[in-house]
Amino acid sequence: MSDLAPFEFRIHSRDGHARTATFTTPHGTVQTPMFMPVGTQGSVKGISAQELTEIKSQMILGNTYHLMLRPGAEMVAAHGGLPGFTGYPGPFLTDSGGFQVMSLGHMRKISEHGVVFKSHLDGSLVELTPERSVEVQQSLGADVIMAFDECPPFPAEVPYIRASLERTVRWLERCLNAKTRADQALFAIVQGGIHPELRQQSLDATLPFQTPGFAIGGLAVGESKDEMFPAVAYTARGLPENKPRYLMGVGHPEDLVAGIALGVDMFDCVYPTRTGRFGYALTDDGRLNMNSAAPRQQLIPIDPDCDCYACTHHTRAYLAHLVKAEEMLAPRLLSLHNLRYLHRLVERARSAIRAGEYQAWASEWGERYFRTQA
Ligand code: PRF
Ligand code: ZN
C-alpha cells in the first residue's frame, strides 16, 4: 500500500491513549478525533451540503448497499463520484455493504463467496461479494473505502464468531486483490465480538495486511456498554500506533468521549440526526426533550455556546413550537444543531488532548452531561 501517496496520518499530540492527528486524503485534510455524519442515501438526512460545510463536518459516510440499489453506482460515477453527486466537496468514507444487508434483515444466504439478499426496493435478488463491494466503492469514489466483512449478531456462539472473523480475513484479502484505484485507502475491519481471545485472533490475522487504517467492527450491536468498552480498549491497544482507528457505528456523546480516551480517531452514527428528528437536542446538560412543556416557555437558545444556525437565530420556545406544530424545519434545525454539537464535542476533546488535560476535561464533561439529564 506504499502507492497511497495522497494519504498521510500524522499524530500531533498524545494524552494517555488519546491522540490528535491530521489525516490527509485526496479531498482534504481532516483533524482527528472526528465524528462523521451518516449520509446513507447520498444525503445527511435534512442537511444540505452547504450546511455540512458550515457546521465544519469533515468526512461524510456513504453506504454501498443503498447506493448500489438506487440510483446505482454508475449514476454516482457519472457525476465523478460522491462529491459531484452530492455537492459536498470534502472527503467521504463508504461502508462496504455487508453490515447494512444483515442489519436490514434482507439477507438470504451467506457463503464463502459473499451474501445474496433481497432488495428492499423491488424484491429482486442481489449478490454482494468482496469483489463487487470494492467495484461499487471504486465507482462511488470515496477517499476511504471499507473491507467487506461479516458482523455477527449479538449474542452469537463463539465458534460462529470465530468462523466469521476468519472468513472476514479471507474477504479482506479478496478486497485488496480486487482494488485497482490508488487514490482510495482501504481500511480493514477487526471483528471478534466481545471476546478478547477472538479479538486477538482477528488482530493477528488482519494486521499483516498493513492497510492504511483499521476499523473496530462488530460492536454496538446490542451488547452492554460494560461489554463493549473493554473490547474497544483491547482492540485499540492491539492496533498500530501510526494508523487511524475507526470505531464503526458509535455513537452517543458519552461513547465518543470514552472512545477517544481509548485511542479511537474516527466515529460515525445516525444518532444526532435520528434523535433530532424525534425532537431531541444535545446539550452539555444532557439531551433536551423539545417535545416536553418546559422549552416552549424558554426564550434562550438550545445552547448559548453553540455557533450553529439554530442556536444563533432561534429560541428554544420557537424550536419547540416548530416541533409541536410538526413543521419540517424542526427536524432539520435539530439535526443541524446535534451534528454541530458532536463536531464541537470532538473539537473540545482535541483541545483537551493538546493541553494534556483530557481526563480532567472528560470527567468534567460527563459529570455535567449526566447530572441534569432528564
Ligand atoms: N462492519 C461494517 N460496518 C459497520 C459495522 C461492522 O461491524 C458496525 C458495527 N457497529 C457498524 N457499521 N462493515
Ligand atoms: Zn446549536
Side-chain angles (χ1 to χ4, degrees):
M1 304 299 286
S2 54
D3 57 337
L4 286 170
F7 293 93
E8 185 187 24
F9 185 70
R10 188 188 290 262
I11 295 175
H12 296 288
S13 60
R14 289 187 176 78
D15 185 4
H17 294 290
R19 65 265 191 87
T20 65
T22 51
F23 182 31
T24 300
T25 78
H27 287 88
T29 296
V30 298
Q31 311 291 320
T32 67
M34 71 167 162
F35 176 80
M36 299 181 286
V38 178
T40 292
Q41 312 229 40
S43 112
V44 176
K45 289 192 190 306
I47 307 298
S48 70
Q50 183 179 352
E51 289 166 327
L52 291 175
T53 302
E54 277 168 16
I55 61 171
K56 299 190 173 69
S57 293
Q58 301 197 88
M59 189 178 281
I60 307 298
L61 185 142
N63 278 121
T64 297
Y65 169 83
H66 296 82
L67 295 171
M68 73 183 278
L69 295 179
R70 182 177 61 192
E74 301 69 27
M75 181 51 71
V76 178
H79 292 76
L82 283 166
F85 186 59
T86 64
Y88 180 75
F92 278 87
L93 176 151
T94 47
D95 200 356
S96 50
F99 177 76
Q100 283 71 34
V101 171
M102 290 173 246
S103 61
L104 292 169
H106 306 299
M107 205 196 9
R108 296 298 287 266
K109 184 168 137 272
I110 181 161
S111 69
E112 186 65 22
H113 189 59
V115 299
V116 175
F117 61 95
K118 207 169 170 159
S119 162
H120 70 285
L121 298 176
D122 63 6
S124 64
L125 287 183
V126 184
E127 185 172 60
L128 202 45
T129 62
E131 291 78 14
R132 177 71 182 138
S133 175
V134 167
E135 182 184 52
V136 172
Q137 293 189 79
Q138 292 195 143
S139 297
L140 299 177
D143 302 81
V144 179
I145 66 177
M146 300 305 300
F148 189 69
D149 62 328
E150 187 193 358
C151 173
F154 182 87
E157 301 292 334
V158 164
Y160 181 85
I161 303 172
R162 178 178 293 113
S164 157
L165 79 83
E166 288 170 352
R167 178 148 64 199
T168 289
V169 174
R170 293 190 294 274
W171 284 358
L172 169 61
E173 188 160 19
R174 283 168 57 187
C175 286
L176 290 167
N177 288 333
K179 183 177 183 297
T180 55
R181 281 180 67 159
D183 59 346
Q184 296 183 299
L186 190 152
F187 282 21
I189 304 175
V190 176
Q191 291 287 346
I194 58 171
H195 309 280
E197 65 282 5
L198 296 182
R199 286 278 157 189
Q200 190 60 52
Q201 183 185 344
S202 180
L203 282 165
D204 290 342
T206 305
L207 297 192
F209 290 95
Q210 298 192 25
T211 51
F214 292 92
I216 304 172
L219 296 172
V221 289
E223 78 283 9
S224 70
K225 300 281 168 89
D226 288 344
E227 293 170 307
M228 178 175 90
F229 280 108
V232 174
Y234 189 88
T235 312
R237 260 184 278 131
L239 289 171
E241 179 69 17
N242 62 348
K243 303 253 177 101
R245 304 164 181 162
Y246 166 27
L247 180 55
M248 307 191 82
V250 174
H252 296 193
E254 66 272 26
D255 303 331
L256 270 58
V257 172
I260 289 168
L262 299 174
V264 174
D265 307 302
M266 303 162 62
F267 303 86
D268 80 278
C269 194
V270 297
Y271 180 69
T273 43
R274 183 168 291 168
T275 203
R277 291 199 299 281
F278 289 147
Y280 291 89
L282 301 175
T283 81
D284 274 359
D285 294 309
R287 195 174 66 157
L288 185 63
N289 184 356
M290 301 296 282
N291 304 286
S292 67
R296 276 177 227 147
Q297 308 300 325
Q298 295 173 337
L299 304 186
I300 54 170
I302 295 170
D303 177 351
D305 294 328
C306 180
D307 55 5
C308 87
Y309 179 84
C311 290
T312 53
H313 291 78
H314 299 303
T315 61
R316 289 182 180 186
Y318 174 67
L319 294 164
H321 158 72
L322 294 183
V323 170
K324 182 86 178 157
E326 295 186 37
E327 281 293 322
M328 62 194 281
L329 189 56
R332 267 183 31 71
L333 290 177
L334 292 180
S335 295
L336 186 79
H337 164 76
N338 289 344
L339 286 171
R340 182 62 192 139
Y341 181 79
L342 290 190
H343 292 334
R344 283 182 56 245
L345 187 67
V346 294
E347 286 169 13
R348 288 186 283 167
R350 294 197 296 263
S351 297
I353 295 168
R354 283 187 210 108
E357 297 168 349
Y358 189 73
Q359 285 246 305
W361 174 81
S363 37
E364 203 172 308
W365 176 88
E367 164 72 26
R368 185 172 163 194
Y369 190 81
F370 289 107
R371 182 174 54 219
T372 40
Q373 190 158 354

